[in-house]
Amino acid sequence: MKLRTLADLFHHQLLDVYGGESQMLYALPKMARSAIHPRLMEGFDAQLEETKDHLERLLNISDELGCRCHTKGAKALEHMLEAAWSHISDASDELVRDARLLRAAQSAAHYEIAAYQAAWTSASSMGMKSVADMLRKTLQEEHAAGQRLRTIAQKMMRSPARRGRKVLLNPSTSKANRLVMPRQLLVA
């Protein structure tokens, strides 16, 4: 698709957010099944329901504008999710696996926030009030989802300490290397 006009750019942005939401529609159930921490599973399930609402809203926007939304895929989001799955299969520790799932979800949420922000800005600047309102509603929900993920992350990372376990960086490395090698997390 050649982007010759602001309307072309906006249609491209809609395809991007639709593609991202469609990818999350398939990724979130898998993420929920892979998670161990109950709050993380619940968070993914809740995000799945919101994702369905977001897709419905995007279809409403598409109908209102007389254009067609189809899944072209959001390449950046696709790469984020692929990277997450490759590391999740390597993680034998439950905390590490859940932390990796959480990181992937947070990355996806930030990507979606940026994409919806761009689409909302375009719709607003072109005077599409009802479309901009629908995009703003989704943008607010994405911000709230990001906050929920931060809350889950804080509680998840505190839970090992509450059970009397310390999360330490690999003690066999030098002090300088401890900060540069976050993959070497050990649970003592």
Side-chain angles (χ1 to χ4, degrees):
M1 164 188 275
K2 292 190 179 188
L3 306 177
R4 294 186 178 128
T5 66
L6 287 177
D8 292 342
L9 175 62
F10 180 64
H11 185 241
H12 179 76
Q13 291 168 329
L14 285 179
L15 292 176
D16 187 49
V17 293
Y18 187 83
E21 294 287 10
S22 296
Q23 288 171 338
M24 293 307 293
L25 185 67
Y26 292 102
L28 285 165
K30 187 176 177 182
M31 294 169 88
R33 285 190 306 272
S34 300
I36 303 298
H37 196 281
R39 285 199 176 207
L40 188 55
M41 288 187 284
E42 291 168 8
F44 290 150
D45 288 338
Q47 187 62 32
L48 177 61
E49 294 309 310
E50 278 190 3
T51 297
K52 291 174 184 176
D53 292 342
H54 297 171
L55 282 166
E56 184 65 33
R57 199 171 294 138
L58 287 167
L59 290 174
N60 290 340
I61 289 170
S62 176
D63 288 345
E64 184 172 322
L65 296 176
C67 64
R68 196 186 102 171
C69 269
H70 57 85
T71 307
K72 76 169 185 71
K75 294 284 184 200
L77 186 57
E78 184 179 327
H79 292 301
M80 280 185 247
L81 293 171
E82 284 174 8
W85 290 121
S86 69
H87 293 294
I88 289 165
S89 61
D90 295 342
S92 58
D93 184 89
E94 293 174 355
L95 180 63
V96 173
R97 183 172 48 247
D98 277 359
R100 185 64 186 134
L101 284 165
L102 187 58
R103 181 171 180 255
Q106 287 176 311
S107 295
H110 288 288
Y111 175 86
E112 289 180 321
I113 288 168
Y116 275 108
Q117 180 70 49
W120 174 78
T121 301
S122 293
S124 296
S125 68
M126 291 189 295
M128 301 177 187
K129 183 175 175 5
S130 64
V131 170
D133 289 345
M134 286 187 270
L135 291 168
R136 183 173 28 99
K137 180 175 171 64
T138 303
L139 180 59
Q140 290 168 340
E141 291 169 356
E142 289 292 350
H143 277 290
Q147 181 57 46
R148 282 193 308 271
L149 290 170
R150 279 189 293 281
T151 301
I152 291 169
Q154 291 166 344
K155 290 179 181 182
M156 257 179 49
M157 292 301 131
R158 277 191 234 134
S159 61
R162 286 189 186 131
R163 291 189 304 262
R165 297 166 57 193
K166 293 180 185 174
V167 176
L168 303 172
L169 293 169
N170 188 341
S172 65
T173 61
S174 72
K175 192 172 189 176
N177 286 339
R178 289 183 197 177
L179 299 175
V180 218
M181 303 169 74
R183 291 187 91 213
Q184 295 183 344
L185 288 175
L186 297 175
V187 179

Coordinates of all heavy atoms in Angstrom, one line a residue, residues 79-114:
H79 N 7.6 -10.2 16.0 CA 8.9 -10.5 16.4 C 9.1 -10.5 17.9 O 9.8 -11.4 18.4 CB 9.9 -9.5 15.8 CG 10.1 -9.6 14.3 ND1 10.5 -10.8 13.7 CD2 9.8 -8.8 13.3 CE1 10.5 -10.6 12.4 NE2 10.1 -9.4 12.1
M80 N 8.4 -9.6 18.6 CA 8.4 -9.6 20.0 C 7.8 -10.9 20.6 O 8.4 -11.5 21.5 CB 7.5 -8.4 20.6 CG 8.2 -7.1 20.6 SD 7.1 -5.9 21.4 CE 6.7 -4.9 20.1
L81 N 6.7 -11.3 20.0 CA 6.1 -12.6 20.5 C 6.9 -13.8 20.2 O 7.1 -14.7 21.0 CB 4.7 -12.7 19.9 CG 3.7 -11.7 20.4 CD1 2.4 -11.8 19.6 CD2 3.4 -11.8 21.9
E82 N 7.6 -13.8 19.0 CA 8.4 -14.9 18.6 C 9.6 -15.0 19.6 O 10.0 -16.1 20.0 CB 8.9 -14.8 17.2 CG 7.9 -15.1 16.1 CD 8.4 -14.8 14.7 OE1 9.6 -14.5 14.5 OE2 7.5 -14.9 13.8
A83 N 10.2 -13.9 19.9 CA 11.3 -13.9 20.8 C 10.9 -14.4 22.2 O 11.7 -15.1 22.8 CB 11.9 -12.4 20.9
A84 N 9.8 -14.0 22.6 CA 9.3 -14.4 23.9 C 9.1 -16.0 24.0 O 9.6 -16.6 24.9 CB 7.9 -13.8 24.3
W85 N 8.5 -16.5 22.9 CA 8.3 -18.0 22.9 C 9.6 -18.7 22.8 O 9.8 -19.8 23.5 CB 7.4 -18.4 21.7 CG 6.0 -18.0 21.9 CD1 5.3 -17.2 21.1 CD2 5.2 -18.3 23.0 NE1 4.1 -16.9 21.7 CE2 4.0 -17.6 22.8 CE3 5.3 -19.0 24.2 CZ2 2.9 -17.7 23.7 CZ3 4.3 -19.1 25.1 CH2 3.1 -18.4 24.9
S86 N 10.6 -18.2 22.2 CA 11.9 -18.9 22.1 C 12.6 -18.9 23.5 O 13.2 -19.9 23.8 CB 12.8 -18.2 21.1 OG 13.3 -17.0 21.5
H87 N 12.4 -17.9 24.3 CA 13.0 -17.9 25.6 C 12.2 -18.6 26.6 O 12.7 -19.2 27.6 CB 13.2 -16.4 26.1 CG 14.3 -15.7 25.3 ND1 15.6 -16.0 25.3 CD2 14.1 -14.7 24.5 CE1 16.2 -15.2 24.5 NE2 15.4 -14.4 24.0
I88 N 10.9 -18.7 26.4 CA 10.0 -19.4 27.4 C 10.3 -20.9 27.4 O 10.3 -21.5 28.4 CB 8.5 -19.1 27.1 CG1 8.2 -17.6 27.4 CG2 7.6 -20.0 27.8 CD1 6.9 -17.1 26.9
S89 N 10.5 -21.4 26.2 CA 10.8 -22.8 26.1 C 12.1 -23.2 26.8 O 12.3 -24.3 27.2 CB 10.8 -23.3 24.7 OG 11.8 -22.6 23.9
D90 N 13.0 -22.2 26.9 CA 14.3 -22.5 27.6 C 14.2 -22.4 29.1 O 15.1 -22.9 29.8 CB 15.4 -21.5 27.1 CG 15.7 -21.6 25.6 OD1 15.4 -22.7 25.1 OD2 16.2 -20.7 25.1
A91 N 13.2 -21.7 29.6 CA 13.1 -21.4 31.0 C 12.6 -22.6 31.8 O 11.4 -23.0 31.6 CB 12.2 -20.2 31.3
S92 N 13.4 -23.2 32.7 CA 13.0 -24.3 33.4 C 12.4 -23.8 34.8 O 11.6 -24.5 35.4 CB 14.1 -25.3 33.7 OG 15.2 -24.6 34.4
D93 N 12.7 -22.7 35.2 CA 12.2 -22.1 36.5 C 10.9 -21.4 36.2 O 10.8 -20.7 35.3 CB 13.2 -21.1 37.1 CG 12.8 -20.6 38.4 OD1 13.1 -21.2 39.4 OD2 12.1 -19.6 38.4
E94 N 9.9 -21.7 37.0 CA 8.6 -21.1 36.9 C 8.6 -19.6 36.9 O 7.9 -18.9 36.2 CB 7.6 -21.7 37.9 CG 7.3 -23.1 37.8 CD 6.5 -23.7 38.9 OE1 6.2 -23.0 39.9 OE2 6.1 -24.9 38.8
L95 N 9.3 -19.0 37.9 CA 9.4 -17.6 38.0 C 10.0 -16.9 36.8 O 9.5 -15.9 36.3 CB 10.2 -17.2 39.3 CG 10.4 -15.7 39.5 CD1 9.0 -15.1 39.8 CD2 11.3 -15.5 40.7
V96 N 11.0 -17.6 36.2 CA 11.7 -17.0 35.0 C 10.7 -17.1 33.9 O 10.6 -16.2 33.1 CB 13.0 -17.8 34.7 CG1 13.6 -17.3 33.4 CG2 14.0 -17.6 35.8
R97 N 10.0 -18.2 33.7 CA 9.0 -18.4 32.6 C 7.9 -17.3 32.7 O 7.6 -16.7 31.8 CB 8.4 -19.8 32.6 CG 7.5 -20.0 31.4 CD 7.0 -21.4 31.3 NE 6.6 -22.1 32.5 CZ 7.2 -23.1 33.1 NH1 8.3 -23.6 32.6 NH2 6.7 -23.6 34.2
D98 N 7.4 -17.2 33.9 CA 6.3 -16.2 34.1 C 6.8 -14.8 33.9 O 6.1 -13.9 33.3 CB 5.7 -16.3 35.5 CG 4.6 -17.4 35.6 OD1 4.4 -18.0 34.5 OD2 4.1 -17.6 36.7
A99 N 8.1 -14.5 34.3 CA 8.6 -13.2 34.1 C 8.8 -12.9 32.6 O 8.6 -11.8 32.1 CB 10.0 -13.0 34.9
R100 N 9.2 -13.9 31.9 CA 9.4 -13.7 30.4 C 8.0 -13.5 29.7 O 7.9 -12.7 28.8 CB 10.1 -14.9 29.9 CG 10.4 -14.8 28.4 CD 11.4 -13.7 28.2 NE 11.6 -13.5 26.8 CZ 11.6 -12.4 26.1 NH1 11.5 -11.2 26.8 NH2 11.8 -12.3 24.9
L101 N 7.0 -14.3 30.2 CA 5.7 -14.1 29.6 C 5.2 -12.6 29.9 O 4.6 -12.0 29.1 CB 4.7 -15.1 30.2 CG 4.8 -16.5 29.7 CD1 4.0 -17.4 30.6 CD2 4.2 -16.6 28.3
L102 N 5.4 -12.2 31.1 CA 5.0 -10.9 31.6 C 5.7 -9.8 30.7 O 5.1 -8.8 30.3 CB 5.3 -10.7 33.0 CG 4.8 -9.4 33.7 CD1 3.3 -9.3 33.5 CD2 5.1 -9.5 35.2
R103 N 7.0 -10.0 30.5 CA 7.8 -9.0 29.7 C 7.2 -9.0 28.3 O 7.1 -7.9 27.7 CB 9.2 -9.4 29.7 CG 10.0 -8.4 28.9 CD 11.5 -8.7 29.1 NE 12.3 -7.7 28.3 CZ 12.9 -8.0 27.1 NH1 12.8 -9.2 26.6 NH2 13.5 -7.1 26.4
A104 N 6.9 -10.1 27.7 CA 6.3 -10.1 26.4 C 5.0 -9.4 26.3 O 4.7 -8.6 25.4 CB 6.1 -11.6 25.9
A105 N 4.1 -9.6 27.4 CA 2.8 -8.9 27.4 C 3.0 -7.4 27.6 O 2.3 -6.6 27.0 CB 2.0 -9.5 28.6
Q106 N 4.0 -7.0 28.4 CA 4.2 -5.6 28.6 C 4.8 -4.9 27.3 O 4.3 -3.8 27.0 CB 5.2 -5.4 29.7 CG 4.6 -5.6 31.1 CD 5.6 -5.5 32.2 OE1 6.7 -6.1 32.2 NE2 5.3 -4.8 33.3
S107 N 5.6 -5.6 26.6 CA 6.1 -5.1 25.3 C 5.0 -5.0 24.3 O 4.9 -3.9 23.6 CB 7.2 -6.1 24.8 OG 8.3 -6.1 25.6
A108 N 4.1 -5.9 24.3 CA 3.0 -5.9 23.4 C 2.1 -4.7 23.7 O 1.6 -4.0 22.9 CB 2.2 -7.2 23.4
A109 N 1.8 -4.5 25.0 CA 1.0 -3.4 25.5 C 1.6 -2.1 25.1 O 0.8 -1.2 24.6 CB 0.7 -3.5 27.0
H110 N 2.9 -1.9 25.3 CA 3.5 -0.6 24.9 C 3.4 -0.4 23.4 O 3.2 0.7 23.0 CB 4.9 -0.6 25.4 CG 5.0 -0.4 26.9 ND1 4.7 0.7 27.5 CD2 5.3 -1.3 27.9 CE1 4.9 0.6 28.8 NE2 5.2 -0.7 29.1
Y111 N 3.6 -1.5 22.6 CA 3.5 -1.4 21.2 C 2.1 -0.9 20.8 O 1.9 0.0 20.0 CB 3.8 -2.7 20.5 CG 3.6 -2.7 19.0 CD1 4.6 -2.2 18.2 CD2 2.4 -3.1 18.5 CE1 4.4 -2.2 16.8 CE2 2.2 -3.0 17.1 CZ 3.2 -2.6 16.3 OH 3.0 -2.5 14.9
E112 N 1.1 -1.5 21.4 CA -0.3 -1.2 21.1 C -0.6 0.2 21.5 O -1.3 0.9 20.8 CB -1.2 -2.2 21.7 CG -1.2 -3.6 21.0 CD -2.1 -4.6 21.7 OE1 -2.3 -4.6 22.9 OE2 -2.7 -5.3 20.9
I113 N -0.1 0.7 22.7 CA -0.3 2.0 23.1 C 0.2 3.0 22.1 O -0.5 4.0 21.7 CB 0.3 2.3 24.5 CG1 -0.5 1.5 25.6 CG2 0.4 3.8 24.8 CD1 0.1 1.5 27.0
A114 N 1.4 2.8 21.6 CA 2.0 3.7 20.6 C 1.2 3.6 19.3 O 1.0 4.7 18.7 CB 3.5 3.2 20.3

